[in-house]
Structure formats: C-alpha cells, structure tokens
Amino acid sequence: WKLGEYELHGQVLITSWVVLGIIFVLAFLGNRDLKPTPDGFQNFTEAVTEYIRDLARTQIGEEEYLNWVPFIGTIFLFIFVSNWSGALLPWRVIEIPNGELAAPTNDINTTVALALLTSTSYFYAGIKKKGLGYFKRYVSPAAFLLPIN
C-alpha cells in the first residue's frame, strides 16, 4: 500500500488488527461478568493475568513490578497470539493483490518495532531509577567493552 511517499505493509496491518481483535474478544468474554469466585472463562483470563504478574514480579522485583505489568502483558499477549495465529490460522489461503497474509511477527518491521519499544522502556526505567549514572555499567570494567555490553 502507498500512503503518500511511504509504503505500508498492508498484510501486516490486517493480521495485526486480527490479532488485536482476538485479544480484545478474549479479554471481553473473560471479564464481562466478573464474579468474586471465578468460573468458566474468567478462570482462564485470571490465570493469564496471574502468570504475567508473576513473570513481572520475578524479573523486575517486588517493589516496582506492578507499574510494568500492563506493558509486559501487552507485549507478551501480542507476541503470543501473533505466533500462535501464524501456526494455527491458514493465512496463506487468503490471497490479496500484493502478497499474502502471515503472522504479524513474521515481518521484520514488527519485530524491530517491538524491540525498539522494549529497549526504550528498559533505558527509561534505568535512567529513572539511577539517573544518568545508569550508563556507567555499560563502560565497566573497561570502556572498550561498550559495543558488547
């Protein structure tokens, strides 16, 4: 697709919106009628939420993990559902004028966007916690190690 002088990967946009739709529908179905004692699909959504919360707690720590649960959960669910949609949905059966459909994570642009989001968040958290002194760890024990740190 062309948008002015830019070229968009329409196939990726279509499949990304399908993946986001799947996530939205599953979240809506699991959380539309919340009960104090979960049953049915609410059990599944609460198990997924607890898994993501525990993952964040073990990786980030008790003090700060709650602020990062929405970000980590969003990235985790998008990648998880994208990869499974590529494995389970017959995207290649659907023909479009410019190419074929595939899982969103099949495109390098999606992967780069997710990597940039994650790296930016990582540096933001480090600078917020330690200030500009955060970058000292990248030149320790010797400055020539900077490219591989």
Side-chain angles (χ1 to χ4, degrees):
W1 298 349
K2 285 265 193 202
L3 184 63
E5 61 184 57
Y6 299 103
E7 187 173 326
L8 298 176
H9 294 219
Q11 306 92 319
V12 177
L13 289 176
I14 292 169
T15 55
S16 293
W17 280 103
V18 169
V19 165
L20 292 174
I22 291 170
I23 293 171
F24 178 77
V25 167
L26 292 176
F28 178 76
L29 290 176
N31 297 307
R32 67 179 170 187
D33 185 27
L34 295 177
K35 299 175 183 151
T37 306
D39 62 350
F41 204 63
Q42 183 181 346
N43 274 331
F44 174 73
T45 58
E46 287 194 17
V48 170
T49 303
E50 286 298 316
Y51 176 76
I52 292 169
R53 222 182 243 176
D54 290 343
L55 183 70
R57 181 183 300 125
T58 57
Q59 297 301 313
I60 298 172
E62 284 288 332
E63 310 83 38
E64 300 172 10
Y65 81 96
L66 275 178
N67 294 331
W68 291 97
V69 168
F71 177 75
I72 292 172
T74 303
I75 298 292
F76 174 81
L77 288 174
F78 180 76
I79 293 171
F80 185 80
V81 175
S82 291
N83 289 343
W84 275 103
S85 76
L88 299 178
L89 299 177
W91 292 115
R92 306 223 185 267
V93 173
I94 303 168
E95 290 185 25
I96 58 175
N98 288 337
E100 57 190 22
L101 297 178
T105 49
N106 191 39
D107 186 32
I108 189 69
N109 296 311
T110 303
T111 308
V112 168
L114 293 171
L116 288 173
L117 276 172
T118 304
S119 296
T120 303
S121 300
Y122 183 79
F123 288 131
Y124 167 78
I127 292 170
K128 183 178 175 189
K129 187 169 184 173
K130 296 184 178 184
L132 290 177
Y134 165 74
F135 291 108
K136 271 197 292 189
R137 69 182 285 249
Y138 288 104
V139 293
S140 296
F144 69 87
L145 293 176
L146 179 63
I148 60 172
N149 273 343

